[in-house]
Amino acid sequence: MRPACAVAAQVLDDITGYIKPGLTTQQVDEFAAERIAAYGAKSAFLGYRKYPCYTCLSVNEEVVHGLAGGRELRFGDIVSVDVGVRHGGFIGDNARTVAVGGCGVAAQQLMEVTERSLYLGIAAARPGNRVSDISRAVQDFVENHGYSVVREFVGHGVGRSMHEEPQVPNFVDTGMNDRLRPGMTIAIEPMVNAGRPDVKRLKDGWTIVTTDGSLSAHFEHTVLITDGEPEILTWAGKTPFKSKAA
Ligand code: MF3
Ligand code: CO
């Protein structure tokens, strides 16, 4: 898992460094395709249930699974960039929301709370704890800041397949609640709306947006449960590996 996650993290870093006003999301996805190939990896998303793009690029009120296309990114937009790669038989999955050039305080605070909720969730990913300890850490922090967590999409186990057990909700659920064990690798991925939690799917069949049109942010890491502290596998620059120049 470590090399696959290192590539996923590096590609995400490359893409967020590339994003600027005036680019279309199609151009960003083409850049992503080039970077994934440069590290000798493959997109884990392209072709997954017929998903048509290399990455997910979700702008402003788009929550997740935004399709690349002719939309031009404008100064002040926020973009959630989700990157999953397959490398050496394993999958690394990570996401981050970034501002295009800059953004307003409301967007910045939403991104900051979402990212901090991810790290609180990660801190709860310790052996002996259960999945619900992660969920609770994320949900409490988000809701204490007046935002809401999306219910329809959840984090997940990740390994040789992108979506493995267990599901990792960003809210406390009454369903399955596995105990966390050393060696498990899970993707923790809070999706946080500035307004109501409700989302809907656009007619393109993929893009998920907030029903009330409010902004949404998404941060994700693939994490290894160890005997002690969790290890964040999708940390850019963590593992040295060869690539062609950016
Ligand atoms: N990171 C997302 C997930 O874990 C992205 C899946 S997009 C898809 O579910 F297109 F591949 F479905
Ligand atoms: Co994921």
Side-chain angles (χ1 to χ4, degrees), residues 45 48 51 56 65 82 93 156 162-163 189 206 220:
F45 299 171
Y48 178 86
Y51 186 74
C56 301
H65 304 167
D82 194 342
D93 192 7
H156 49 92
M162 181 158 63
H163 294 144
E189 50 177 319
W206 282 102
E220 175 180 30

Side-chain angles (χ1 to χ4, degrees), residues 128-161:
N129 277 358
R130 291 180 181 272
V131 169
S132 63
D133 293 300
I134 298 172
S135 309
R136 186 176 305 102
V138 170
Q139 181 176 25
D140 284 354
F141 187 74
V142 166
E143 293 181 352
N144 284 337
H145 285 81
Y147 301 133
S148 32
V149 292
V150 171
R151 305 296 201 272
E152 284 83 351
F153 299 88
V154 296
H156 49 92
V158 53
R160 291 188 183 275
S161 306

Side-chain angles (χ1 to χ4, degrees), residues 108 145 181 228:
Q108 184 275 325
H145 285 81
R181 295 179 194 284

Side-chain angles (χ1 to χ4, degrees), residues 32-61:
E34 184 268 310
R35 294 316 302 154
I36 293 168
Y39 298 114
K42 293 236 182 304
S43 167
F45 299 171
L46 182 69
Y48 178 86
R49 299 185 181 185
K50 301 197 176 145
Y51 186 74
C53 305
Y54 289 84
T55 59
C56 301
L57 300 166
S58 309
V59 183
N60 295 338
E61 77 288 352

